[in-house]
Amino acid sequence: MIKVVTVQEMIRIERLAIERGASAQEFMLQAGSKVAQAARELLREKGGKKVVLLIGRGNKGGDAYVAGIQLLQAGYIVRGVTFAASADCSELNQYFAQQFTGTIAQDLCFSEDDLIIDGLLGTGFHGVIESGTMADAITLANNAGKPILSIDIPSGLDGTTGMYFGSVIKATETVTLGFPKIGLFKHFGWNCTGRLRIEEFGLLPEIASCATAVALIPKIEELQLPAMVRSHHKYERGFVVGFGGSKEFKGAVKLSGTAALHGGAGIVKLFTLEDVGPMADELITQIWSPAAWQTSLAKASAVFIGPGLGRSSIAKEWCKAALHNVDKPCVLDADALYFLPEMNVPKQCILTPHRGEMLHLLGEANSPYANCSPLGTRESSLGCTIVSGSILNNMDPLTIVQPRGFDACPEGYNLRKVSQADLEEEVLWVRCQEYVDKHSVVLILKGAPTHIFSPASSPIIIPRGDPGMATAGSGDVLTGLVAALLAQGQSLLEAAVVGVTLHALAGEAAALEKTSYGYSAGDLIEFFPSAFKCLITT
């Protein structure tokens, strides 16, 4: 697993490395080299030879100089735009500036450039880029229609909170160095980061091992698919039993069942409370009855409950009567989650809520089904003051977060208002962890990116996927896929991590062929083989 850290922890680790004899100059050379390599690959992908460096006064500007020097040596045309006098720059910035032989100019027109490298502001930046040359440069870069490669973190973004105030770079790709910073995945960070590339810059393993993680990212090459055994028959491959569907939502349970089949399960049987129409020939279907359900449950390797179930009184009574009797690895989704706060959570369970469903599970005020539990004003450990209230969704009343380093809103600047859900994301993380610790479940908090919580463990972030996956039925596909992995013998946490990763990879493959605009949830299943190949080949 790759550690995700706060900015403060990254600074501590770099300082520790240097105290123990590491060279800051060598770190910068390696960092700049990784940035140059990423730039070359982006230019091969997008085309062109002309690069502009946006160079700030700190060590991130020094990284940009090193990348520019290497790109010049490789035959690219490189120019730099500086935003501070040399005397105001860091020592390493000044050192590599002297070695840079490209053109230095203050021209903020990027129409002739093929790639913009963002070396403006490092991970230690906190505050507001409200106006001035740097704000102009960020706006012009974002509007230039050119790929932007950010070094470590998009300039203007708070590397710990993921907040920004004023201008911020919207990167095409971010080369994050050492450990990814948690701000890349919180609040607005993911919308600014673009494609994420994680690169080492020379930290020794004994130093890296000292870093304290606030979250983890799985390495693709470490993920394992269930073993294929030549002699297995269909029940040994895994028998998935699903329950859901209604006249109002006929498609969800079908998507889940089909995803389970294409996710590797040997056999899938679906129970519904009422007829939901034709299904794929490979799916076994039956109107629910107590006897048939118990017989199938006894044979099942894994179960999923909820997709398309609806919120009728009959569905609620079924959940009350049946959920606590499920003793097989189980995925609960959709309307099963709606009823769950009134019931005991089954053992061996994976829950797959999106944010709104999670808030309902927590009894938050955005849900019309639960009362608000005020959380109060507090100082966040991730560096901002959380003002008032409880966790609310994006349609609820707005509040203000105070940016670190400012006692009041900067004069003339209208402090960005965001929903309490955005402000209190850290609190949501804490509450999710408390929930899984209390109920001994694994929780897949669906979103961009998706977070996975398990008892007494650090949250796991899956920084993959495609915006086109925000489409009706995508979660139903995930439910079936995770159930299939459970049926094939994976643990709750393993099935959650592998399932979410495969689902995200399928979305990326679908977008590559159909664009992010042109595919639906059912198409994700079509691209499962592409996702499986990614794990098989690594």
Side-chain angles (χ1 to χ4, degrees), residues 241-246 249 251-254 256 270-271 293 303-311 315 318-319 323 330-339 350 352 357 475-476 479:
V241 172
F243 178 79
S246 61
F249 304 109
V253 73
K254 301 176 188 180
S256 297
L270 302 180
F271 285 90
W293 172 254
V303 179
F304 69 80
I305 297 171
L309 180 59
R311 300 176 180 178
W318 185 95
C319 287
L323 272 185
C330 178
V331 184
L332 296 186
D333 187 25
D335 295 315
L337 300 175
Y338 174 80
F339 297 123
I350 297 175
T352 64
E357 290 166 335
D476 302 313
T479 292

Side-chain angles (χ1 to χ4, degrees), residues 347-414:
K347 298 178 180 179
Q348 301 186 73
C349 194
I350 297 175
L351 311 183
T352 64
H354 54 59
R355 178 185 286 267
E357 290 166 335
M358 190 65 228
L359 295 174
H360 174 55
L361 290 175
L362 294 172
E364 282 299 328
N366 78 299
S367 166
Y369 322 108
N371 293 323
C372 170
S373 301
L375 299 172
T377 301
R378 68 184 68 63
E379 178 67 24
S380 160
S381 63
L382 294 188
C384 63
T385 300
I386 297 170
V387 183
S388 80
S390 47
I391 312 170
L392 303 176
N393 71 11
N394 287 333
M395 298 304 294
D396 283 312
L398 302 179
T399 187
I400 294 175
V401 68
Q402 186 74 16
R404 176 171 36 209
F406 289 88
D407 296 326
C409 179
E411 184 177 355
Y413 182 74
N414 182 19

Side-chain angles (χ1 to χ4, degrees), residues 27-40:
F27 281 169
M28 188 168 288
L29 282 168
Q30 291 202 43
S33 177
K34 297 297 175 62
V35 173
Q37 177 61 31
R40 288 192 291 269

Side-chain angles (χ1 to χ4, degrees), residues 207-231:
I207 299 295
S209 66
C210 296
T212 299
V214 292
L216 300 168
I217 295 174
K219 296 180 179 179
I220 290 288
E221 61 270 20
E222 294 177 354
L223 298 182
Q224 299 291 320
L225 294 173
M228 281 288 175
V229 180
R230 295 179 75 181
S231 60

Side-chain angles (χ1 to χ4, degrees), residues 11-12 26 34 70 95 110 130 135 178 200 221 226-227 274 325 347 375 407 499 511:
I11 291 171
R12 184 187 74 83
E26 181 59 30
K34 297 297 175 62
Q70 294 196 12
Y95 175 78
F110 304 122
E130 181 184 357
E200 297 179 1
E221 61 270 20
E274 51 193 344
N325 290 323
K347 298 178 180 179
L375 299 172
D407 296 326

